[in-house]
Amino acid sequence: MPITNITEELQIQSGQGAYPARFHESVAAVVAQLAGSAKAAVIVDANVDALYASSLAPLKSAFPYRTVPALETEKTLAGVERTLQFLQDHKANKETRLIAIGGGIIQDIATFSSHLYYRCIPFVFVPTTLLSMADSCIGAKCGINFGQFKNQLGVFQSPESVEICEAFLGTLSDTDIASGYGEIVKLALTGSAELYSRVERAVTLGGFRNPELTDLIAASLAVKKEVIEADEYERDLRRILNYGHTFGHALEAITGHAVPHGIAVAWGMDLANFISCRRGKLARAEFERMHRFLARYFAMPMDRPVTAAALIEASRRDKKNVRGKLTMALLERPGRLVIDYVDYDSALEASVTEFLELNHAFFGN
Ligand SMILES: NC(=O)c1ccc[n+]([C@@H]2O[C@H](COP(=O)([O-])OP(=O)(O)OC[C@H]3O[C@@H](n4cnc5c(N)ncnc54)[C@H](O)[C@@H]3O)[C@@H](O)[C@H]2O)c1
Ligand SMILES: [Zn+2]
């Protein structure tokens, strides 16, 4: 896929209507634009509210305003009900624009709530984490947790617009920055060898908070835009965006979500690449180059060892599996992903075991 030119604004085509993702210089500029809404209700990540209280004050004084804890326990039917109750308490109607400010958790709560309230009210998303700026903010998907299952309930609901301001990242933790980069690397490898090399170079020269970050966010969104526009409802092509997620989700599950999503995805890509290499799809030298980068920048101390048996068992619960086989997006080379169906057999177990033996250092166990 070619690198699409970076623009001031990306227009995302969707069956529910096109919507823009715009880039802003300052938090004040985003707030000034949104404060001009005719009728709105605002939900804000509680940590963001505390950190940006004075910048967000114009929204707080103009509209009903609710802070929401960014917790997985809030991304549930009960949490959605609290947001719906807030809308009802403030007599929100179909003209009310729900403004959601926060990361992926707030996005999922807002998407689900706006879809349900009066069968859909417009919502605007202001992403404040790197993961939500570079990846989840477009694509219209959401997932909320139900019982023991993460992201089991969901809808597709496009936002009215996405307003991106990188200035929010100044207060984001280094771990959450790394998590966002997991998805940036995934989208770079989905896009092209050039884009992957560009990400690798920018990070190697300048660390995660490098001067190219805005461009990398825009380039990631441009790759995702091409995929979701071709397959909005994940019938076929969009499944490649699950690259790194099969074993990434398994790792998240068996560590009780101690590993942030994007970091688990980075690790999951490394394992997927290893399996791809073992299956003769990816050249060993390519695997090793990406492995050096992933292991260096996404290493994370973990308190318990991970076993192949536990990972494979957790991967069996992946909702993407068909006919008892593991559905994996495998890399053939940077810029070329294919969907493959992998048997649960001794070859898979041997690959995962070997990968774990080679990679003690990756997660410090
Ligand atoms: N809908 C989708 O397409 C999609 C895609 C990927 C992930 N997700 C979901 O998103 C969630 C993860 O989202 P996330 O990684 O964006 O983070 P998050 O929403 O879980 O937030 C992470 C932490 O960062 C804090 N935070 C947010 N913005 C901040 C800022 N600017 N400064 C300081 N702290 C800030 C939050 O309060 C929280 O403590 C998961 O629930 C995941 O399932 C959804
Ligand atoms: Zn993801």
Side-chain angles (χ1 to χ4, degrees), residues 45 47-48 51-52 70 72 75 103-105 107-108 128-129 131-132 136 141-142 150-151 168 171-172 176 261:
D45 177 315
N47 289 328
V48 173
L51 289 163
Y52 296 89
E72 290 290 336
K75 215 182 82 159
I105 290 189
Q107 178 189 355
D108 282 342
T128 62
T129 61
L131 183 141
S132 57
S136 70
K141 241 171 62 161
C142 74
K150 192 167 149 58
N151 292 340
F168 279 112
T171 52
L172 193 67
D176 281 307
H261 178 70

Side-chain angles (χ1 to χ4, degrees), residues 337-359:
L337 281 161
V338 290
I339 299 296
D340 207 352
Y341 302 95
V342 179
D343 282 316
Y344 284 100
D345 59 8
S346 53
L348 176 67
E349 186 150 356
S351 291
V352 176
T353 304
E354 194 184 339
F355 175 81
L356 291 173
E357 279 166 4
L358 286 173
N359 285 285

Side-chain angles (χ1 to χ4, degrees), residues 10 15 67-68 83 100 125 148 173 191 202 308 331 354 363:
L10 278 175
T67 58
V68 177
T83 292
F125 181 46
Q148 294 305 306
S173 71
L331 198 70
E354 194 184 339
F363 272 147

Side-chain angles (χ1 to χ4, degrees), residues 220-237:
S220 300
L221 291 178
V223 172
K224 183 162 177 184
K225 168 183 150 75
E226 284 194 39
V227 177
I228 59 180
E229 285 183 348
D231 177 21
E232 187 169 14
Y233 296 110
E234 201 165 331
R235 299 211 166 91
D236 187 25
L237 180 69

Side-chain angles (χ1 to χ4, degrees), residues 31-144:
V31 168
Q33 180 182 311
L34 293 173
S37 305
K39 190 167 167 39
V42 185
I43 62 169
V44 185
D45 177 315
N47 289 328
V48 173
D49 173 65
L51 289 163
Y52 296 89
S54 58
S55 311
L56 296 175
L59 291 176
K60 205 171 203 162
S61 56
F63 306 117
Y65 188 98
R66 174 168 186 260
T67 58
V68 177
L71 300 173
E72 290 290 336
T73 47
E74 190 67 19
K75 215 182 82 159
T76 53
L77 286 172
V80 166
E81 190 174 355
R82 283 187 274 276
T83 292
L84 294 172
Q85 191 63 58
F86 157 74
L87 291 170
Q88 189 185 61
D89 288 347
H90 291 280
K91 301 188 172 46
N93 61 23
K94 282 184 84 84
E95 265 103 60
T96 306
R97 166 189 277 170
L98 177 61
I99 297 172
I101 306 173
I105 290 189
I106 304 304
Q107 178 189 355
D108 282 342
I109 295 169
T111 307
F112 207 85
S113 304
S114 78
H115 182 82
L116 292 179
Y117 195 76
Y118 283 122
R119 269 183 239 102
C120 173
I121 58 169
F123 84 98
V124 170
F125 181 46
V126 182
T128 62
T129 61
L130 183 56
L131 183 141
S132 57
M133 286 181 199
D135 177 28
S136 70
C137 68
I138 63 169
K141 241 171 62 161
C142 74
I144 66 162

